[in-house]
């Protein structure tokens, strides 16, 4: 095996570490993207019996965005196993308790339920904020593109830029501005 | 306070076509960004208050479809579309720079007689403004009692929420061609 081929072999089977910024991302949409990288579906050498999945590091999981009224509509079910042990926790209650849980459960649900799933989940790291451990940060070599654009708040745009922006609506002549 | 009220009263009497809204707040002695500006000066012993029409700060920046290069004028038989229909913009609820032009300083949607939109666009923009406000994207345009920072809101309101424009009930919004039949 030549040196080039050996490097190619190493590069093919090495685990890549990806980072994903969850800020203003829908966890259920982004779970389908994260799943591909975790399982290695984006690689041409993919095979279910081939351990070629990558590692994904999710940051800012506290800043995820749910659509419409899903924060109070979506319920997470848990049963302790005892009679009357069923609980339904709303999404915002769960997010209050553990800001990493929603994205974790979303990725877990996006994958097919087989014996490999729990081992694949071990390769997913979720952090509620931007701070990640140094030993994790050193490995990261790739960033997964965000699905949704992060919206800009009006008060974060400079005042002169708001004034200079092209206008579509003009006031009537006798309008008294409030 | 009485002085302000009196000033407003004389203002209403003197100017024929002055538009005074119901509250006294519409009359301000300090300078503000009004299309009608109030100026007062003393001539001897009398106080003169005059309402001056000020050019709108938006006129220079105004975008209209008929001024754009690739504009095709509609057939004369059809009713002229309103300016938003003519522009054909795909406005999302995150386009706060556009949506903020349609609201008052307290974040309320302006009525149709001021915006000059057709009923379809008025409803659509109104719903997009609601979405932007609920997502906390225009928190500087809110009433004074409002929790400005979305992070300080209660329960589920403190987390980020986005909206899908497809979820607007389009069937309730009348099409520009719709007319009542008798
Ligand atoms: Zn229209």
């Amino acid at each position: 095996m030549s040196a080039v081929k050996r490097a190619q072999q190493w590069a093919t089977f090495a685990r890549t570490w990806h980072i994903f910024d969850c800020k203003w991302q829908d966890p259920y949409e982004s779970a389908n993207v994260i799943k591909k990288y975790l399982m290695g579906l984006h690689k041409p050498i993919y095979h279910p019996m081939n351990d070629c999945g990558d590692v994904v590091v999710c940051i800012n999981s506290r800043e995820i965005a749910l659509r419409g009224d899903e924060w109070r509509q979506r319920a997470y079910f848990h049963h302790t196993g005892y009679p009357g042990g069923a609980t339904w926790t709303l999404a915002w209650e769960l997010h209050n308790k553990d800001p990493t849980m929603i994205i974790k459960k979303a990725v877990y649900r996006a994958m097919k339920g087989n014996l490999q799933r729990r081992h694949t989940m071990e390769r997913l790291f979720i952090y509620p904020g931007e701070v990640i451990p140094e030993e994790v940060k050193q490995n990261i070599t790739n960033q997964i593109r965000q699905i949704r654009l992060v919206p800009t708040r009006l008060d974060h745009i400079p005042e002169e830029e708001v004034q200079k922006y092209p206008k579509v609506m003009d006031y009537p002549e006798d309008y008294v501005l409030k | 306070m009485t002085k302000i009220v009196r000033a407003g009263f004389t203002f209403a009497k003197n100017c024929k076509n002055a538009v005074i809204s119901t509250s006294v707040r519409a009359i301000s002695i300090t300078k503000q960004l009004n299309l009608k500006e109030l100026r007062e000066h003393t001539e001897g012993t009398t106080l003169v208050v005059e309402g001056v029409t000020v050019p709108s700060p938006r006129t220079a920046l105004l975008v209209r479809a008929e001024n754009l290069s690739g504009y095709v004028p509609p057939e004369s038989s059809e009713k002229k579309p309103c300016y938003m229909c003519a522009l054909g913009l795909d406005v999302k609820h995150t386009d706060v720079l556009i949506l903020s032009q349609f609201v008052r300083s307290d974040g309320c949607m302006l009525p149709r007689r001021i915006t000059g939109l057709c009923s379809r666009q008025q409803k659509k923009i109104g719903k997009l403004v609601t979405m932007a406000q609920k997502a906390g994207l225009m928190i500087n345009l809110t009433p004074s009692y409002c929790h400005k920072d979305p992070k300080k809101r209660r329960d589920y309101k403190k987390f980020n929420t986005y909206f899908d424009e497809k979820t607007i009930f389009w069937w309730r919004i009348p099409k520009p061609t719709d007319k009542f039949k008798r």
Side-chain angles (χ1 to χ4, degrees):
Chain A
M1 194 183 262
S2 70
V4 177
K5 281 283 173 192
R6 203 164 68 232
Q8 194 185 20
Q9 171 87 0
W10 173 82
T12 308
F13 289 98
R15 284 201 204 284
T16 317
W17 287 55
H18 306 267
I19 194 165
F20 183 74
D21 191 355
C22 300
K23 194 174 248 181
W24 281 96
Q25 303 302 304
D26 188 302
Y28 314 105
E29 281 176 6
S30 40
N32 288 322
V33 176
I34 294 169
K35 179 189 87 169
K36 279 183 197 162
Y37 288 91
L38 272 183
M39 295 166 72
L41 286 166
H42 63 299
K43 296 182 180 179
I45 58 162
Y46 173 77
H47 188 270
M49 302 301 285
N50 180 1
D51 184 20
C52 63
D54 285 347
V55 183
V56 178
V57 181
C58 293
I59 59 166
N60 283 328
S61 77
R62 205 191 298 276
E63 307 282 313
I64 55 166
L66 260 59
R67 195 183 78 187
D69 52 1
E70 274 193 41
W71 279 117
R72 58 185 189 279
Q73 293 286 350
R74 197 176 274 267
Y76 285 88
F77 176 77
H78 177 73
H79 203 293
T80 57
Y82 291 99
T87 50
W88 287 266
T89 315
L90 299 180
W92 65 268
E93 291 171 335
L94 185 70
H95 203 59
N96 260 345
K97 280 201 158 87
D98 186 358
T100 62
M101 196 64 113
I102 287 185
I103 191 102
K104 189 178 169 187
K105 280 182 175 287
V107 176
Y108 188 77
R109 278 207 54 184
M111 287 191 288
K112 207 174 142 198
N114 52 17
L115 289 177
Q116 202 57 43
R117 175 158 70 162
R118 285 174 188 270
H119 300 288
T120 313
M121 284 300 290
E122 291 293 303
R123 272 184 259 121
L124 176 67
F125 296 94
I126 308 167
Y127 297 99
E130 282 179 341
V131 185
I132 52 177
E134 192 56 41
E135 63 265 27
V136 172
K137 202 191 253 175
Q138 283 171 354
N139 295 318
I140 293 165
T141 51
N142 186 33
Q143 184 178 7
I144 303 174
R145 188 183 286 271
Q146 287 182 309
I147 304 164
R148 310 186 63 81
L149 269 175
V150 177
T152 319
R153 257 160 58 173
L154 188 62
D155 54 326
H156 289 172
I157 304 171
E159 186 66 32
E160 58 205 90
E161 203 174 308
V162 177
Q163 304 273 329
K164 269 193 284 177
Y165 194 77
K167 300 284 186 276
V168 286
M169 206 276 276
D170 199 4
Y171 298 114
E173 271 181 27
D174 51 357
Y175 179 66
V176 181
L177 206 67
K178 271 195 234 176
Chain B
M1 191 60 206
T2 49
K3 193 180 166 193
I4 297 170
V5 174
R6 201 150 19 87
F9 181 66
T10 48
F11 175 63
K13 265 208 303 194
N14 294 343
C15 297
K16 285 272 163 58
N17 53 354
V19 173
I20 305 271
S21 73
T22 49
S23 70
V24 184
R25 264 196 325 161
I27 306 298
S28 64
I29 289 170
T30 53
K31 191 185 173 186
Q32 65 178 59
L33 194 67
N34 277 1
L35 301 190
K36 274 271 163 80
E37 196 182 280
L38 211 64
R39 289 177 192 165
E40 70 171 40
H41 54 97
T42 45
E43 286 179 6
T45 51
T46 50
L47 178 76
V48 179
V49 181
E50 53 180 354
V52 186
T53 314
V54 175
S56 168
R58 290 187 177 181
T59 314
L61 295 161
L62 213 59
V63 177
R64 285 285 177 265
E66 49 264 30
N67 301 337
L68 298 177
S69 56
Y71 175 66
V72 182
E75 290 170 34
S76 56
S77 61
E78 288 175 26
K79 202 177 160 239
K80 195 172 165 270
C82 72
Y83 59 89
M84 276 307 267
C85 289
L87 279 171
L89 294 173
D90 181 22
V91 185
K92 302 257 187 268
H93 76 285
T94 48
D95 302 332
V96 280
L97 284 171
I98 293 175
L99 294 178
S100 61
Q101 298 169 21
F102 293 95
V103 297
R104 280 204 290 265
S105 57
D106 65 346
C108 256
M109 181 77 190
L110 287 167
R112 214 177 125 198
R113 64 171 186 277
I114 290 164
T115 58
L117 293 163
C118 64
S119 58
R120 184 180 170 81
Q121 287 288 345
Q122 174 75 16
K123 271 215 165 174
K124 187 188 154 187
I125 299 281
K127 292 200 175 198
L128 291 174
V129 165
T130 312
M131 285 176 169
Q133 291 284 17
K134 283 192 177 179
L137 300 177
M138 296 202 293
I139 57 168
N140 49 348
L141 298 175
T142 42
S144 53
Y145 55 83
C146 178
H147 292 282
K148 302 279 182 200
D149 195 358
K151 297 261 161 59
K152 285 175 188 162
R153 291 179 188 172
R154 214 161 39 84
D155 296 348
Y156 56 87
K157 291 175 195 163
K158 69 181 164 199
F159 299 126
N160 294 342
T161 308
Y162 78 93
F163 291 91
D164 191 357
E165 282 80 15
K166 282 179 199 151
T167 56
I168 299 176
F169 285 113
W170 290 106
W171 56 270
R172 270 194 209 159
I173 299 175
K175 288 197 174 64
T177 51
D178 283 356
K179 274 172 196 156
F180 291 107
K181 282 175 187 169
R182 284 196 185 270

